[in-house]
Amino acid sequence: MSGHIHAELMAQYAEDARETDAPWKRWEFKDKYESLWRNLSTNPGWHKDDEYRRKPRTITINGREVPEPMRSAPAIGSRYYLVDTSSRQLFGIENWDGDAIEQIWLSRGLCHSTKEAAIAHAEALLSFTEQSAGG
């Protein structure tokens, strides 16, 4: 006999419930008919056809909320995205080797698991030096 399809997520939710009386504020769900993640407004129903996840963590840069950068090293050979404000595309694609420069980038919060996160981070950094249209 196998456990509930969402058993692992339920355990994570229980951890959040130990820390807050409104754990649903940290979670999102998506039903099988939609492609968008939506905030929970109460405890989840844990329906087998729905998907659930903790909301991605964010940081604020110059008033802009962006996905939190990676805080621990990925597995050797894993692809990640480097914030690169000097490039037109605002990111670089890298494969983790764990060398000294990558350790510096990681410690400075410049590594992301998605391209979109790296771009949002770069745009937030560049917002410090944006000039107004009138200036």
Side-chain angles (χ1 to χ4, degrees):
M1 181 174 163
S2 61
H4 192 282
I5 189 171
H6 297 305
E8 201 170 304
L9 294 172
M10 289 172 162
Q12 292 175 11
Y13 190 84
E15 290 174 20
D16 288 343
R18 280 190 209 94
E19 297 174 8
T20 177
D21 61 352
W24 58 85
K25 291 182 179 179
R26 297 179 179 180
W27 287 76
E28 298 173 317
F29 79 102
K30 178 170 59 169
D31 69 31
K32 66 181 179 181
Y33 303 107
E34 296 185 31
S35 60
L36 297 175
W37 288 98
R38 295 187 296 165
N39 292 330
L40 288 169
S41 57
T42 188
N43 289 312
W46 301 112
H47 302 287
K48 68 177 184 170
D49 292 333
D50 291 347
E51 293 180 57
Y52 301 89
R53 72 175 184 186
R54 275 190 176 134
K55 289 180 181 177
R57 292 179 183 223
T58 60
I59 60 172
T60 303
I61 300 172
N62 200 25
R64 296 179 183 210
E65 195 170 347
V66 301
E68 181 180 48
M70 296 165 58
R71 297 296 184 198
S72 57
I76 297 294
S78 295
R79 176 175 282 183
Y80 69 97
Y81 300 85
L82 179 67
V83 174
D84 185 354
T85 58
S86 67
S87 126
R88 284 187 182 184
Q89 58 192 24
L90 301 178
F91 69 93
I93 301 172
E94 305 288 340
N95 289 310
W96 185 262
D97 294 322
D99 62 20
I101 192 64
E102 287 180 320
Q103 296 295 337
I104 291 170
W105 294 336
L106 181 67
S107 70
R108 292 182 178 170
L110 298 174
C111 303
H112 286 273
S113 57
T114 69
K115 171 178 69 173
E116 294 78 15
I119 292 169
H121 190 149
E123 289 173 342
L125 292 173
L126 290 171
S127 72
F128 283 104
T129 58
E130 288 176 344
Q131 295 193 9
S132 66

